[in-house]
Amino acid sequence: MLSLFALHASNRFVHITEVERGLACNCRCAICGEVVLARQGDKREHHFAHSSNIEPCASNYESDLHRFAKRVILEAGGLVVPVTAAVAQALGFSDDRASSILLACADIKEEVVIGDRRPDLLATTTEGLGVVIEIAYSSFCDMEKRRAYENMQLPALEIDLRAFTPSAFDVTQVKRVVLEDTACKYWLWPDRLEGTGMVEQLPTSPPAALAAQRQFLPEEIVTIRGRWISIKELPSGDIAIKAVRFDPEIVSAVRTVARAHYGRYRETHHNWVIPRFRAEAARTQLRAIASAT
């Protein structure tokens, strides 16, 4: 099988479409470490090849897809997740009427052993709660694993990437599904409210229909130089804006926009609240900054 992924000199696990052609890709084989070049011609499928022209190392596409998806989440520092009543209770959300929420993480670790389990990622939210993230392509979590997470009272999310076969891999689409969409994300646990016996089923309605039924406090994410800015509408019509991960330059940009629109800083939430009469103007300015970067 042709090698579609390699390890960049920056230590990033990259897809063939993310690098320059030939040796300018500045990559090495993720298996043997030899220098590779990016073959991006017109006749054959684009792929990485060893500079010595030896046969490509045996690779596993599912493992590579897992590794790429983990890289995307680690770099973003969080992802949008679906919300159910059980999830809201387990993660301490004040309201479960949102169809989704941005799960911002203070720390994310790979392949951490938890009991007899080794999930793809173990994230620690900014509130200090642990959340397991599993990436699925052909092998999905079974009931035994779901029960293990339930016994540990450890929220666990599974991301279904089976649509992204080697020939249907698109970096932009994979990133969007992993970070922003919720249609391919399911909670392994919690799946019920404690003491009620009410079981949460996997969604059967289209994501758009679910959002229309349950939308509350809509949240918008804009990206400025690779960093997320959360814009959440409050019941009053005001909006709250914050940098999801600390970055001095992005924090400064958020502060500048907030002050220009009469925002007030809330220390307890680490965000700026913009009054409703300036909310749309602030949104527009943040979108413009994001579009320009």
Side-chain angles (χ1 to χ4, degrees):
M1 179 178 175
L2 297 177
S3 299
L4 304 180
F5 297 88
L7 199 60
H8 188 262
S10 63
N11 211 36
R12 295 176 80 234
F13 190 67
V14 295
H15 186 257
I16 185 66
T17 59
E18 295 184 287
V19 298
E20 296 183 52
R21 186 175 181 175
L23 288 172
C25 68
N26 200 18
C27 291
R28 63 183 187 276
C29 175
I31 298 174
C32 72
E34 182 179 323
V35 172
V36 295
L37 53 90
R39 296 191 185 276
Q40 299 173 341
D42 298 325
K43 294 183 179 180
R44 299 186 65 189
E45 180 184 358
H46 292 183
H47 64 282
F48 289 104
H50 291 84
S51 58
S52 64
N53 209 32
I54 63 172
E55 288 296 312
C57 292
S59 61
N60 180 287
Y61 176 73
E62 181 167 9
S63 297
D64 289 343
L65 180 60
H66 273 68
R67 190 170 178 180
F68 181 84
K70 288 190 290 185
R71 185 207 98 185
V72 169
I73 296 171
L74 284 162
E75 290 181 346
L79 69 167
V80 174
V81 300
V83 174
T84 66
V87 170
Q89 178 175 296
L91 296 183
F93 299 158
S94 59
D95 196 291
D96 70 337
R97 286 175 285 176
S99 62
S100 63
I101 192 167
L102 175 61
L103 190 72
C105 303
D107 184 50
I108 306 176
K109 290 184 171 64
E110 299 183 64
E111 309 291 341
V112 176
V113 176
I114 309 170
D116 61 348
R117 301 293 166 185
R118 189 191 295 269
D120 290 321
L121 295 171
L122 176 63
T124 302
T125 70
T126 52
E127 288 75 30
L129 298 170
V131 177
V132 159
I133 301 171
E134 298 277 14
I135 312 297
Y137 177 68
S138 64
S139 300
F140 291 77
C141 295
D142 56 18
M143 186 56 68
E144 181 183 355
K145 183 171 281 190
R146 293 174 64 116
R147 285 173 177 159
Y149 289 136
E150 180 177 13
N151 290 337
M152 290 186 280
Q153 297 289 287
L154 183 60
L157 181 79
E158 187 169 60
I159 306 176
D160 181 353
L161 297 182
R162 78 183 92 177
F164 297 104
T165 62
S167 60
F169 188 96
D170 180 278
V171 168
T172 301
Q173 290 301 314
V174 172
K175 287 182 177 180
R176 179 181 58 78
V177 167
V178 170
L179 297 180
E180 301 173 15
D181 288 358
T182 58
C184 296
K185 296 172 183 172
Y186 310 102
W187 289 99
L188 303 171
W189 189 86
D191 61 358
R192 70 193 65 189
L193 285 171
E194 291 292 333
T196 67
M198 184 183 78
V199 177
E200 291 281 351
Q201 302 295 332
L202 294 181
T204 55
S205 304
L210 286 175
Q213 294 167 9
R214 306 180 65 183
Q215 187 173 10
F216 181 72
L217 302 186
E219 185 173 27
E220 177 183 358
I221 303 298
V222 299
T223 304
I224 299 177
R225 288 184 285 279
R227 297 299 190 187
W228 286 358
I229 306 298
S230 167
I231 308 173
K232 177 174 284 190
E233 183 179 337
L234 304 177
S236 62
D238 300 345
I239 61 170
I241 62 175
K242 67 181 292 186
V244 174
R245 297 190 73 182
F246 181 77
D247 180 306
E249 190 175 357
I250 302 305
V251 169
S252 176
V254 169
R255 181 170 58 246
T256 298
V257 171
R259 287 175 173 172
H261 298 283
Y262 308 104
R264 66 183 188 279
Y265 186 69
R266 295 195 300 182
E267 182 70 35
T268 53
H269 294 77
H270 304 293
N271 63 12
W272 289 84
V273 175
I274 313 298
R276 59 182 178 274
F277 69 92
R278 299 287 296 192
E280 192 55 38
R283 280 184 190 271
T284 300
Q285 186 174 355
L286 285 169
R287 290 169 186 158
I289 295 172
S291 298
T293 58

